[in-house]
Amino acid sequence: MSQARFCRTEPINTMRRAILGGVGATALTIGAGRPIPAWARPPASTSFTRIFNHLPPFAESSAKLTAALLDIGKAGGIMDAKDNLAAGPILLITEPALSANNQNAAMPNGVAGTTFMGQFIDHDMTFDATSRLGVPAKPRQSPNSRVPSLDLDSVYGDGPIADPLLYDPADRIKFKVESGGLFEDLPRTRENRAIIADPRNDEHVMLAGLQVAFLLFHNRAVDYVRATGENDSGRVFALARQLTTWHYQWIVLHEILPSFIGQAMVNDILARKLRFYHPDDDEAAMPVEFQGAAYRFGHSMVRPSYRANLKGDNGNPFFGLIFDPAGQGQADPMDMRGGARARRRFVGWQTFFDFRDGEVKPRKLIDTRISTPLFNLPLGAIADGSTPTSLPQRNLLRQVTWQLPSGQRIAQEMGAPALAARDLGELAVYGLGLERNTPLWYYVLKEAEIIGGGQNLGPVGGRIVGEVMIGLLQADRDSFLSESPRWAPTLPSSGGAGSFRMVDFLAFAGVSPASRGQ
């Protein structure tokens, strides 16, 4: 451990001096005057913004429009994949023919875990807790309860001083982690409410598993830094947080984002700079075109059921629907909902990321067909507890909330090929011209289906998602891409020096199959 290095070229002692050079200027401290960098206590909220201020909404708000959007997104409607839920969660995975007309086809080159990493990343950047679905709102007057950067404030909260309940009272710069079953679990109250910085990260088993993996990664990073001889608590916390955050940001840029938009789009944005999204120098802001539409493509990648682990259910795999209404109120639901403790409710990550053991499962193609369980969400999976409970309906109403432009107008603005009205002919029946002026979320899904072949986003969706995520990294002066663009991870990696992927992250956190002896 003493020979470990934080970066490719600088020994850890040199890197420590570089990292800590400006630490003393902050007011937040641990113990007697021991400082933490300013980014360890982010501001409470910022507002949303727009990328395309001058473009009109895709349609004027009206009762007829609301009725059409609710019909498009209803259970049994044109977006419902019509999964045969009666067949049960196991056959929905092992028998692809059960998905009517191949409605939920698997993506051959994508792994299931990227679906949930995408959701985890979203919760790190954006949280709209105030706007009302289907009621027009002004982005600049709507608070974003997450800091719009990839800084893991959804994990760290406001730090050990302001959020002490998140941290271990026996070691105040480490997170509290508990076990409610066979393996690790989030710390919980007696009512099983997760004690975490963002309650949304307990919506289901996979998301809770990612959250606890990040808690454990940080705790091991604390041990890693202490092993170098550093014993100042504030400095240890600062270095451990930076180590955790930078490795996370590396994975986002080099693994997760390319799997969503394609490596060619990532390379183009990095080489040609940002063409449409221009974050303010003095205020990071989350654009509603991303938050309310383009980045919601991930909902299309959710499969109706999952194998959470290989041996958690009395030595057998634990299978379950992503959500099942029958699980409401049960201490150990049969589905993947969060908010429960049980021996089997942990994630065997070999199902979700490729550990080269043949166990990884694919994610679903990106298209306009949404898995049937998502049309009846449990209220616990909806942050504000509001209705409707159909996720597609909620997403479509959000296009009205933010008064988003149509996908076609944005394509025109970008100089990108636009979908033709015939590509969206199923929307013509509503008599509102939605096949020519299409809600951006629906357009992004259809574009991915037709132009991206379901493998990744098309030119509109991919450009918005890529520019915002890369733009936020570039705008954050504490990110590795901004502060040290040539930095590369050198924690243990299955791919060798300068490489680091989710399988390596999970291994360092101690939750990989090898770590557990599975």
Side-chain angles (χ1 to χ4, degrees):
M1 189 71 74
S2 62
Q3 300 301 313
R5 300 155 76 94
F6 275 108
C7 69
R8 184 180 303 174
T9 58
E10 294 181 277
I12 187 167
N13 289 336
T14 304
M15 186 63 171
R16 182 169 64 227
R17 286 194 296 270
I19 292 172
L20 297 174
V23 164
T26 179
L28 180 61
T29 62
I30 289 181
R34 296 177 179 178
I36 301 173
W39 47 258
R41 189 172 188 179
S45 68
T46 58
S47 63
F48 291 97
T49 188
R50 293 187 187 277
I51 298 176
F52 302 100
N53 275 307
H54 57 290
L55 295 184
F58 75 97
E60 292 299 321
S61 177
S62 68
K64 186 175 181 180
L65 176 64
T66 298
L69 297 178
L70 290 174
D71 192 72
I72 293 167
K74 71 181 181 182
I78 61 174
M79 297 194 77
D80 191 342
K82 301 179 177 63
D83 299 299
N84 183 3
L85 302 185
I90 298 176
L91 290 179
L92 284 169
I93 294 172
T94 60
E95 296 293 337
L98 282 176
S99 294
N101 302 316
N102 206 29
Q103 294 283 287
N104 256 332
M107 177 178 171
N109 299 319
V111 299
T114 55
T115 302
F116 303 110
M117 265 303 288
Q119 188 178 15
F120 180 89
I121 293 165
D122 175 72
H123 292 180
D124 188 32
M125 297 183 292
T126 175
F127 188 1
D128 171 24
T130 61
S131 69
R132 296 171 56 195
L133 292 175
V135 179
K138 294 182 178 180
R140 284 290 184 184
Q141 296 177 7
S142 302
N144 178 10
S145 298
R146 289 263 71 85
V147 176
S149 64
L150 295 161
D151 68 345
L152 292 178
D153 68 315
S154 58
V155 173
Y156 288 91
D158 284 344
I161 298 299
D163 280 332
L165 290 179
L166 303 181
Y167 294 84
D168 185 350
D171 191 342
R172 296 176 61 207
I173 62 171
K174 283 188 173 183
F175 286 109
K176 188 185 303 179
V177 178
E178 298 179 9
S179 175
L182 186 58
F183 291 109
E184 70 287 332
D185 188 17
L186 296 170
R188 298 181 182 278
T189 67
R190 291 181 180 179
E191 296 77 25
N192 281 334
R193 294 189 182 93
I195 305 171
I196 53 178
D198 192 321
R200 297 174 299 171
N201 282 353
D202 191 31
E203 286 178 1
H204 51 70
V205 170
M206 284 72 72
L207 198 50
L210 280 172
Q211 179 82 6
V212 77
F214 274 81
L215 302 182
L216 289 169
F217 190 102
H218 167 85
N219 289 353
R220 289 174 182 252
V222 168
D223 295 336
Y224 182 90
V225 174
R226 283 173 171 163
T228 70
E230 180 61 70
N231 57 19
D232 181 283
S233 294
R235 291 182 172 89
V236 171
F237 181 84
L239 285 166
R241 177 168 181 170
Q242 184 175 65
L243 189 68
T244 303
T245 304
W246 280 17
H247 280 78
Y248 158 66
Q249 292 171 348
W250 177 277
I251 288 170
V252 171
L253 184 62
H254 293 275
E255 180 179 3
I256 305 302
L257 184 58
S259 78
F260 292 162
I261 70 174
Q263 189 63 56
M265 179 71 82
V266 173
N267 294 344
D268 182 73
I269 294 170
L270 289 171
R272 297 180 60 190
K273 310 300 181 185
L274 305 179
R275 295 171 54 199
F276 304 101
Y277 173 56
H278 303 291
D280 296 337
D281 292 335
D282 60 345
E283 179 188 6
M286 171 57 62
V288 290
E289 293 91 341
F290 177 98
Q291 185 269 348
Y295 199 67
R296 291 176 182 267
F297 78 92
H299 296 156
S300 173
M301 299 194 302
V302 177
R303 299 193 60 80
S305 64
Y306 287 92
R307 181 186 67 184
N309 53 58
L310 301 185
K311 299 180 181 179
D313 204 358
N314 295 317
N316 299 310
F318 174 31
F319 290 89
L321 296 176
I322 182 70
F323 296 121
D324 184 347
Q328 185 66 34
Q330 295 183 353
D332 180 11
M334 69 289 290
D335 63 4
M336 295 295 156
R337 75 181 62 211
R341 288 188 188 276
R343 186 173 175 80
R344 65 180 180 170
R345 304 188 81 78
F346 68 93
V347 182
W349 290 109
Q350 61 268 63
T351 290
F352 297 92
F353 295 99
D354 191 0
F355 289 89
R356 308 297 183 188
D357 56 4
E359 295 291 351
V360 69
K361 298 300 181 185
R363 74 188 189 203
K364 178 186 164 297
L365 290 172
I366 307 170
D367 53 32
T368 56
R369 292 174 288 278
I370 309 298
S371 292
T372 298
L374 299 186
F375 289 82
N376 188 11
L377 298 175
L379 289 179
I382 300 173
D384 61 1
S386 65
T387 56
T389 60
S390 164
L391 184 57
Q393 286 182 333
R394 296 179 67 84
N395 287 343
L396 288 164
L397 290 175
R398 208 171 295 275
Q399 315 306 291
V400 178
T401 299
W402 295 131
Q403 299 174 284
L404 294 176
S406 70
Q408 291 89 342
R409 287 297 302 270
I410 293 178
Q412 182 182 12
E413 187 75 7
M414 288 182 170
L419 298 180
R422 63 178 177 274
D423 296 322
L424 298 142
E426 68 273 19
L427 303 180
V429 66
Y430 297 101
L432 294 170
L434 298 179
E435 72 278 14
R436 296 184 303 277
N437 288 288
T438 306
L440 182 56
W441 177 63
Y442 193 95
Y443 184 94
V444 164
L445 298 183
K446 181 67 78 168
E447 182 190 57
E449 179 182 338
I450 293 176
I451 299 179
Q455 300 286 323
N456 26 51
L457 295 174
V460 169
R463 177 66 60 177
I464 293 172
V465 168
E467 288 207 4
V468 170
M469 292 180 72
I470 291 173
L472 291 178
L473 282 172
Q474 292 175 340
D476 177 7
R477 69 176 187 272
D478 294 314
S479 77
F480 90 87
L481 195 61
S482 176
E483 183 176 324
S484 186
R486 294 186 179 182
W487 177 85
T490 56
L491 285 177
S493 168
S494 56
S499 171
F500 201 79
R501 300 176 65 80
M502 273 304 297
V503 292
D504 305 310
F505 189 98
L506 297 167
F508 185 81
V511 298
S512 68
S515 303
R516 292 167 167 169
Q518 289 189 322

